[in-house]
């Protein structure tokens, strides 16, 4: 009688039973990119270390641009905001904390802490700027560019101009934008001439992998800007409002534009606002892909003018709201989301009523030493910053 034998493991020693591992078909590179572009930034940062091909794909300019466009689309459906409240200013005057808050939440998550303790004197932080998910942090000593999603920080070089004194108000007039012709980000800041305080100059710092230094454009700004103001980036240009006139005669156009491609200034026609010369307040920002100028007149109205053309704008008088001066931070088909000091509220187009959404002085700020604070002295920044995979470390290490 023939009996089959087995080895100690209980398997038959017949080599015919052994199978070669099945080789999986290769996934096309286009399909891999289509999958990766749908992932959040945190996952992409881990997947960069999978292989050289994935690292090159995720770091490529085309992938970054496509991922950013998807982030903008997702952000419109589920907006989140970056806020920088003035917490414990007296205890830790040289620490800048950035928190991310989403509508409907009662807490804000700590994203980044910029520690400036090495500076002996208290550091003054000006209004933050933002462009495509990157945040500009201007101070009276240095300037920084931060990617909150990757937590990468880039310190811009010192300026060689002796006239850039920390006490100058012009140091607070800054801007961050993307040059569409080169896909390089540029930071600008103004300065004053000691011989003529009414005359202003400007410096540009282009953030590239080969060089980074401050330089001047061909011509100075054609008209001075009088107050603390961070530029609004829109369609390859930086915009400032000239709502406080210094020199006479005043310019006919009250919007100052700086083209990041040609690096030249120009005046842009403002909306036909009747109260422009009567002391009305104005704010400028970008909502749903359009440039928005909000006018607050003496009759407690907010008039919102919109345009989709940065060079020759045709202003549309889109909304008239009977509310107190507030900053509009988001827009949808149903209404607006606004912030007024510590109050975040929404305005419904159909009912023409407002509803409170959150109180900045009642949010729980999660992070080291977090607590529910009773009072926010001021909010340095409250902007909608989309997730961005742009690498600042690669730029910093290449210089």
């Amino acid at each position: 009688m023939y009996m089959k034998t087995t080895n100690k493991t209980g398997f038959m020693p017949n080599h015919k039973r052994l199978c070669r591992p099945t080789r999986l078909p290769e996934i096309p590179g286009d399909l891999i990119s289509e999958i990766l572009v749908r992932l959040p930034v945190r996952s992409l940062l881990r997947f960069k270390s999978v292989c050289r091909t994935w690292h090159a794909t995720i770091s490529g300019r085309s992938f970054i641009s496509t991922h950013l466009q998807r982030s903008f689309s997702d952000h419109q459906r589920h907006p989140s905001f970056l806020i920088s409240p003035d917490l414990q200013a007296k205890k830790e005057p040289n620490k800048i904390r950035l928190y991310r808050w989403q509508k409907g939440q009662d807490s804000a998550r700590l994203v980044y802490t910029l520690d400036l303790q090495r500076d002996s004197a208290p550091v003054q932080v000006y209004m933050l700027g933002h462009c495509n998910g990157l945040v500009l942090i201007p101070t009276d000593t240095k300037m920084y560019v931060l990617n909150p999603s990757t937590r990468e920080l880039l310190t811009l070089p010192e300026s060689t101009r002796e006239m850039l004194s920390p006490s100058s108000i012009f140091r607070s007039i800054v801007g961050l934008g993307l040059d569409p012709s080169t896909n390089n980000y540029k930071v600008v800041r103004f300065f004053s001439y000691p011989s003529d305080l009414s005359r202003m100059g400007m410096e540009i710092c282009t953030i590239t992998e080969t060089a980074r230094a401050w330089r001047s454009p061909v011509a100075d700004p054609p008209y001075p800007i009088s107050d603390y103001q961070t530029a609004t980036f829109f369609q390859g240009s930086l915009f400032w409002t000239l709502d406080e006139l210094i020199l006479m005669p005043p310019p006919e156009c009250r919007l100052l534009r700086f083209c990041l491609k040609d690096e030249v200034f120009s005046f842009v026609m403002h909306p036909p606002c009747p109260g422009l010369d009567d002391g009305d307040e104005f704010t400028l920002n970008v909502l749903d892909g359009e440039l928005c100028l909000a006018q607050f007149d003496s009759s407690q109205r907010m008039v919102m003018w919109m345009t989709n053309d940065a060079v020759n704008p045709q202003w549309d008088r889109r909304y008239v709201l009977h509310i107190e001066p507030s900053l509009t931070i988001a827009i949808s088909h149903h209404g607006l989301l606004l912030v007024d000091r510590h109050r975040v509220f929404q305005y419904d187009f159909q009912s023409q009523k407002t509803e409170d959404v959150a109180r900045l002085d009642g949010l729980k700020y999660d992070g080291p030493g977090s607590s529910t604070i009773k009072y926010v002295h001021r909010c340095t920044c409250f902007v909608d910053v989309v997730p961005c995979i742009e690498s600042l470390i690669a730029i910093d290490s290449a210089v």
Side-chain angles (χ1 to χ4, degrees), residues 29-75:
D30 293 343
L31 181 57
I32 293 178
S33 298
E34 187 64 26
I35 296 174
L36 291 176
V37 80
R38 301 172 184 270
L39 300 179
V41 173
R42 182 175 298 181
S43 300
L44 293 176
L45 293 176
R46 295 200 307 268
F47 291 160
K48 270 188 172 184
S49 59
V50 171
C51 62
R52 292 182 178 180
T53 302
W54 284 26
H55 187 280
T57 298
I58 298 172
S59 303
R61 176 54 56 185
S62 176
F63 181 90
I64 293 174
S65 178
T66 304
H67 186 270
L68 184 64
Q69 294 304 316
R70 290 190 63 89
S71 295
F72 275 117
S73 178
D74 295 340
H75 183 76

Side-chain angles (χ1 to χ4, degrees), residues 214-228:
W214 293 98
R215 54 187 174 80
S216 298
V218 177
D220 289 337
Y223 197 87
I225 301 174
S226 60
D227 56 355
Y228 295 83

Side-chain angles (χ1 to χ4, degrees), residues 146-187:
L146 169 71
N147 186 336
S149 299
T150 63
R151 293 174 173 82
E152 297 174 350
L153 181 74
L154 184 66
T155 303
L156 298 185
E158 297 282 348
S159 173
T160 57
R161 290 182 176 272
E162 297 178 357
M163 59 195 70
L164 279 170
S165 60
S167 60
S168 174
I169 187 176
F170 300 109
R171 191 91 188 253
S172 65
I173 305 173
V174 298
L176 167 68
L178 178 68
D179 181 350
S181 64
T182 61
N183 280 326
N184 289 329
Y185 288 91
K186 294 181 179 180
V187 178

Side-chain angles (χ1 to χ4, degrees), residues 203-258:
E203 287 190 315
I204 310 169
C205 182
T206 303
I207 303 175
T208 67
E209 296 183 3
T210 56
R212 187 165 61 250
W214 293 98
R215 54 187 174 80
S216 298
V218 177
D220 289 337
Y223 197 87
I225 301 174
S226 60
D227 56 355
Y228 295 83
Q229 192 175 155
T230 298
T232 298
F233 174 74
F234 180 66
Q235 293 184 352
S237 299
L238 297 175
F239 287 84
W240 295 268
T241 58
L242 303 175
D243 51 355
E244 293 188 17
L245 303 178
I246 301 176
L247 303 179
M248 299 301 289
E252 294 183 0
C253 304
R254 301 298 177 83
L255 292 180
L256 182 62
R257 170 178 173 258
F258 182 73

Side-chain angles (χ1 to χ4, degrees), residues 79-141:
S80 62
F81 305 92
L82 198 67
I83 60 179
S84 177
D86 191 9
L87 301 177
Q88 300 177 339
K90 295 182 179 180
K91 296 181 180 180
E92 298 175 309
N94 291 355
K95 281 191 177 181
I96 305 172
R97 289 188 174 92
L98 298 176
Y99 296 82
R100 188 178 293 277
W101 173 78
Q102 191 167 14
K103 180 184 174 182
Q105 297 179 347
D106 57 1
S107 63
R109 177 175 55 87
L110 180 64
V111 174
Y112 193 86
T113 300
L114 178 56
D115 192 352
L116 305 175
Q117 293 294 344
R118 57 185 177 274
D119 297 327
S120 56
V123 177
Q124 182 176 1
V125 183
Y126 302 120
M127 291 298 297
L128 309 188
H130 66 99
C131 175
N132 294 347
L134 302 183
V135 178
L136 174 65
I137 307 177
T139 72
D140 57 359
T141 57

